Amino acid sequence: MVSEHEHTDAEGGESTALALKILVAGGFGVGKTTLVGAVSEIRPLRTEELLSEAGQSVDDTDGVDHKVTTTVAMDFGRITIRSGLSLYLFGTPGQDRFWFLWDELSQGALGAVVLADTRRLEDCFPAVDYFEHRRIPFVLAVNCFAGARRHGAQDVARALDLDRGTPVVLCDARDRDSGKEVLIRLVEYAGRMHTARLLDSVG
């Protein structure tokens, strides 16, 4: 979703504001809701429900025993990166049974942040595959949980067999500045990818 609207700048002139749609994806309990909440300048819209006994048989809570809620539709937030550029953030649900929502949410997205937890690295494989197959630019953001073993960006990229050039960044999903840096990296990377594809199409 790329939308433009007119607004009045500080000098009274008209300028065009750009709004870009970004997805925040990854496995169950990796910190998607936390990231959207940390960076959003508006009160984030959340669609969380308490984890139920019925869901215990399908939701793998191994390693995230403290988690008591789960996103069942999406999280939504907004952040202004700079004057005239805003990002609309859509946090996707992590469980497989909600994946039917992903195709709808990904329509018109500039790119995605795939959050990863090195304690459960395999949980982000489905999101990585999803965006690679649909050629949606993404960055892999390793959420550095307390007590988790630290791994370098190159080690994570190799472990996930990421396409060459896919950015891998270390972050703290609870920290606004850290989350903002991840989003800036994504916008820069997605911009380069879209420009290269445009040049290829007219070449």
Short mmCIF file of all heavy atoms in Angstrom, two decimals, residues 151-160 168:
data_model
loop_
_atom_site.label_atom_id
_atom_site.label_comp_id
_atom_site.label_asym_id
_atom_site.label_seq_id
_atom_site.Cartn_x
_atom_site.Cartn_y
_atom_site.Cartn_z
N HIS A 151 24.27 -14.63 18.24
CA HIS A 151 24.80 -15.12 16.97
C HIS A 151 25.01 -13.93 16.05
O HIS A 151 24.22 -12.98 16.06
CB HIS A 151 23.84 -16.11 16.31
CG HIS A 151 23.61 -17.36 17.11
ND1 HIS A 151 24.42 -18.46 16.98
CD2 HIS A 151 22.70 -17.67 18.05
CE1 HIS A 151 23.99 -19.42 17.80
NE2 HIS A 151 22.95 -18.95 18.48
N GLY A 152 26.06 -13.98 15.25
CA GLY A 152 26.31 -12.90 14.30
C GLY A 152 25.33 -12.94 13.14
O GLY A 152 24.71 -13.97 12.86
N ALA A 153 25.18 -11.78 12.47
CA ALA A 153 24.25 -11.67 11.36
C ALA A 153 24.56 -12.67 10.25
O ALA A 153 23.65 -13.29 9.68
CB ALA A 153 24.27 -10.24 10.81
N GLN A 154 25.84 -12.87 9.94
CA GLN A 154 26.21 -13.80 8.87
C GLN A 154 25.87 -15.24 9.24
O GLN A 154 25.44 -16.02 8.38
CB GLN A 154 27.70 -13.67 8.55
CG GLN A 154 28.06 -12.38 7.84
CD GLN A 154 29.52 -12.33 7.44
OE1 GLN A 154 30.38 -12.92 8.10
NE2 GLN A 154 29.82 -11.63 6.36
N ASP A 155 26.05 -15.60 10.51
CA ASP A 155 25.71 -16.95 10.95
C ASP A 155 24.21 -17.21 10.79
O ASP A 155 23.80 -18.29 10.35
CB ASP A 155 26.10 -17.14 12.42
CG ASP A 155 27.60 -17.12 12.63
OD1 ASP A 155 28.33 -17.43 11.67
OD2 ASP A 155 28.04 -16.79 13.75
N VAL A 156 23.40 -16.22 11.14
CA VAL A 156 21.94 -16.37 11.01
C VAL A 156 21.54 -16.47 9.54
O VAL A 156 20.71 -17.30 9.16
CB VAL A 156 21.21 -15.19 11.69
CG1 VAL A 156 19.70 -15.25 11.42
CG2 VAL A 156 21.47 -15.20 13.19
N ALA A 157 22.15 -15.63 8.69
CA ALA A 157 21.85 -15.67 7.26
C ALA A 157 22.17 -17.03 6.66
O ALA A 157 21.40 -17.57 5.85
CB ALA A 157 22.63 -14.57 6.52
N ARG A 158 23.31 -17.61 7.09
CA ARG A 158 23.69 -18.94 6.58
C ARG A 158 22.73 -20.01 7.09
O ARG A 158 22.31 -20.90 6.34
CB ARG A 158 25.12 -19.27 7.00
CG ARG A 158 26.18 -18.71 6.07
CD ARG A 158 27.54 -19.36 6.32
NE ARG A 158 28.02 -19.10 7.67
CZ ARG A 158 28.79 -18.06 7.99
NH1 ARG A 158 29.15 -17.19 7.08
NH2 ARG A 158 29.20 -17.89 9.24
N ALA A 159 22.38 -19.93 8.37
CA ALA A 159 21.49 -20.94 8.97
C ALA A 159 20.13 -20.96 8.29
O ALA A 159 19.51 -22.02 8.14
CB ALA A 159 21.33 -20.67 10.46
N LEU A 160 19.67 -19.79 7.85
CA LEU A 160 18.35 -19.70 7.20
C LEU A 160 18.44 -19.78 5.68
O LEU A 160 17.42 -19.76 5.01
CB LEU A 160 17.66 -18.39 7.59
CG LEU A 160 17.24 -18.28 9.06
CD1 LEU A 160 16.77 -16.88 9.39
CD2 LEU A 160 16.15 -19.29 9.37
N VAL A 168 20.34 -8.72 7.45
CA VAL A 168 20.09 -9.32 8.76
C VAL A 168 20.56 -8.31 9.80
O VAL A 168 21.70 -7.86 9.76
CB VAL A 168 20.84 -10.66 8.94
CG1 VAL A 168 20.60 -11.21 10.35
CG2 VAL A 168 20.40 -11.67 7.89
#
